[in-house]
Each structure stands twice: as C-alpha cells, then as structure tokens.
Amino acid sequence: ESKKIHVYGIDINNKKRTKKILNEIFEKYDFSFFDLIIDDGSHYLSDILFSLKALFRYVKKGGIYIIEDFKYPNYYEQNRNIEHILVDQVLKNLQEKRLFNSNIIKNDDQVYLQNNISKIAIYKGNLKDSDICFIEKI
C-alpha cells in the first residue's frame, strides 16, 4: 500500500471517458505526465495497440511504458481480434524505425513513437505465455 501509487482502470476503447479520467488525474495531482504506465489490460491485440498509441504520449521523458503479457495474441487466437501484425512485430518495427501497415497506429503515430522511444526491453516470464516489455521514453 502506498500513497504514491494509484491504480486506474480505463476502457481504452472509450476515448472520451479515457481523456476525462486522464484530465481528472492531472488536475487532482497537478502533473501532466506519468513516470510509469503499466498496460495490464484485456490482452486483445486491438486493446494493446490502442493503449500504446493513446497512452505512451502521457509518459514523461525518461519514463517507462510496460506492456504485460503482450504476446497473448501470438499464443491465443481468440486474442487476435483484428487483422494486424502482432505486438512483437510492431515493437521490432518501432525499434528499427520502419513504418508498417496499421489501421490503428497510423504513420504519424508510428513516427512519434519511433522518435520518442529510447529503448525497448523484452523479457520472458516463467510461464509459457508470460512476456513483458518495457519501453523507455527519450
């Protein structure tokens, strides 16, 4: 338990509500960027991608964006709810500064991510389907 850690659940597909919650947080705690964002969401491919696109912008310089169990769509077909390259491929393209086809992360968003990511670290957990990535912002 900590007075400095606060957990917020949002529906990334509800842009209006997400923006409202973010504005309430920023106003209540008087800041504009997070040190750390952990995406421990639905594990659906679309939600992971929408979250990265929408929330990485709110990570402060030097901060970390974490995607927990990001390879679920690789392991479980039911988590591939859209036709799209998988998250590990998205991350590789971002690291290598290559544009890719996406209906979710458009070219301008890809360029933003490429220009604002300093490091992507990927780790395998103890379980066959537990993979986590840490994305550091420049």
Side-chain angles (χ1 to χ4, degrees):
E1 204 172 302
S2 172
K3 292 180 181 180
K4 293 186 176 188
I5 297 174
H6 306 279
V7 177
Y8 292 88
I10 60 172
D11 176 359
I12 199 63
N13 295 299
N14 186 336
K15 292 178 187 177
K16 187 176 179 181
R17 179 79 177 127
T18 298
K19 187 76 168 163
K20 182 178 182 208
I21 290 171
L22 289 171
N23 287 335
E24 287 173 4
I25 293 168
F26 297 147
E27 192 173 306
K28 180 176 181 179
Y29 298 105
D30 193 29
F31 72 97
S32 301
F33 296 95
F34 294 97
D35 297 316
L36 175 71
I37 293 178
I38 302 173
D39 173 358
D40 184 11
S42 74
H43 307 328
Y44 284 110
L45 180 56
S46 63
D47 292 344
I48 296 168
L49 298 171
F50 278 121
S51 294
L52 176 61
K53 173 186 169 178
L55 299 178
F56 186 78
R57 293 178 182 273
Y58 295 101
V59 175
K60 75 176 188 180
K61 293 177 190 279
I64 304 290
Y65 185 89
I66 299 172
I67 309 172
E68 179 266 349
D69 292 337
F70 74 95
K71 287 182 77 175
Y72 259 54
N74 296 55
Y75 303 127
Y76 305 108
E77 190 172 332
Q78 69 267 18
N79 289 87
R80 281 177 283 198
N81 62 332
I82 57 169
E83 277 294 319
H84 197 282
I85 65 172
L86 298 170
V87 179
D88 55 331
Q89 297 164 319
V90 167
L91 296 173
K92 183 175 181 175
N93 282 313
L94 291 174
Q95 270 187 312
E96 295 175 359
K97 298 190 184 295
R98 284 193 316 236
L99 295 177
F100 51 91
N101 291 329
S102 175
N103 291 328
I104 295 174
I105 304 177
K106 304 289 187 194
N107 284 2
D108 59 330
D109 297 311
Q110 292 178 43
V111 169
Y112 171 82
L113 289 166
Q114 291 169 357
N115 291 334
N116 285 280
I117 290 174
S118 64
K119 182 179 178 183
I120 298 175
I122 296 172
Y123 299 94
K124 182 80 180 140
N126 293 330
L127 303 174
K128 75 172 183 80
D129 58 2
S130 63
D131 303 89
I132 191 165
C133 77
F134 297 80
I135 305 170
E136 185 177 346
K137 191 166 189 180
I138 292 175

